[in-house]
Amino acid sequence: MSAMTARLVDTHCHLDPGYFPGGPGEVLARAEAAGVGGFVVIGVGRDLEPARAAVALATKEPARIGAAVGVHPHDATTLTDALLDELTALAKDPRVVAVGEIGLDYHYDHSPRDVQRDTFARLIALARQLHKPIVVHTREAKDDTLALLASEGARDVGGIIHCFSEDLAFAKGAVELGFDLSFSGIVTFKSARSVHEVAGWAPIDRVLVETDSPYLAPVPLRGKPCEPAYIVHTAKRVAELRGMSLEALAEATTGNAERRFRRVFHA
Ligand SMILES: [Zn+2]
Ligand SMILES: [Zn+2]
């Protein structure tokens, strides 16, 4: 990728020690060599340790890393008042560029759906209070996701639908509510026809790319633990679906990420 001058931003990766016990150093170095100049590191888990780790990493590497902290829908039942207070204090850190990932996951249903909806609403309120965008995780919960984004006023802060895996109708609803669409390795899968359609349709100023590392490695690396360097394969596929060069896609998506997260990423 050394010929590419525009650099990519991985808008969604998990790098906490639970996934990369050796630390993020080599992973970041490989990403850098592949042309990745910025990272939004997501810190979510059963407790706030991953959130603290994400903020610590962004503090250590402020030029190229921003953090997002939240409560994943899988862990929605963990949101007590005390945890929300602690999360609020963490989310105020200027290195935290977004509240997330938050949302609804009716595929796994690891937390009861009513609790997921309640936690999602409370964290949208937190983002509004802090004037930070949100990173939304949604799976098999299209209608409730759009309904909550609308009823809770998420438009005021905007954000991104991460790891886009839904259909065109949902994409249109999300874009209308002020949300960007972030494409992961799923867009490289042959079977993901509706995602291909959305990647071709989406207004260019609303398109982002991500790895969701360590999950969902793109073709041709599918099945391996995913890491941010692999984003190049995802970006290539999105560019191809849009009839653009990789260079032009990198320039556009990096500009979008910098606008959305209101910061510049330097390599
Ligand atoms: Zn997710
Ligand atoms: Zn994630």
Side-chain angles (χ1 to χ4, degrees), residues 52-179:
R52 290 198 187 91
V55 175
L57 189 57
T59 303
K60 197 174 145 218
E61 300 257 7
R64 56 179 175 165
I65 297 181
V69 300
V71 176
H72 194 284
H74 291 343
D75 307 314
T77 52
T78 66
L79 187 67
T80 57
D81 290 346
L83 190 126
L84 182 58
D85 285 347
E86 275 185 82
L87 184 66
T88 303
L90 259 179
K92 282 180 179 161
D93 190 297
R95 305 287 176 219
V96 172
V97 297
V99 172
E101 56 190 287
I102 61 176
L104 303 173
D105 193 314
Y106 294 174
H107 178 75
Y108 286 108
D109 279 330
H110 286 329
S111 285
R113 292 181 181 182
D114 59 330
V115 180
Q116 291 190 43
R117 287 190 291 268
D118 186 56
T119 293
F120 188 24
R122 292 175 80 187
L123 295 175
I124 293 170
L126 171 63
R128 284 166 50 100
Q129 178 197 328
L130 300 179
H131 306 289
K132 296 194 182 190
I134 61 176
V135 175
V136 177
H137 171 108
T138 181
R139 191 154 180 210
E140 292 176 24
K142 289 185 285 194
D143 295 346
D144 282 4
T145 298
L146 291 178
L148 271 165
L149 290 175
S151 68
E152 303 309 309
R155 181 196 290 278
D156 294 349
V157 287
I160 77 179
I161 305 296
H162 111 84
C163 196
F164 189 88
S165 56
E166 300 295 347
D167 59 11
L168 187 57
F170 176 79
K172 286 181 173 167
V175 164
E176 217 154 275
L177 282 166
F179 281 75

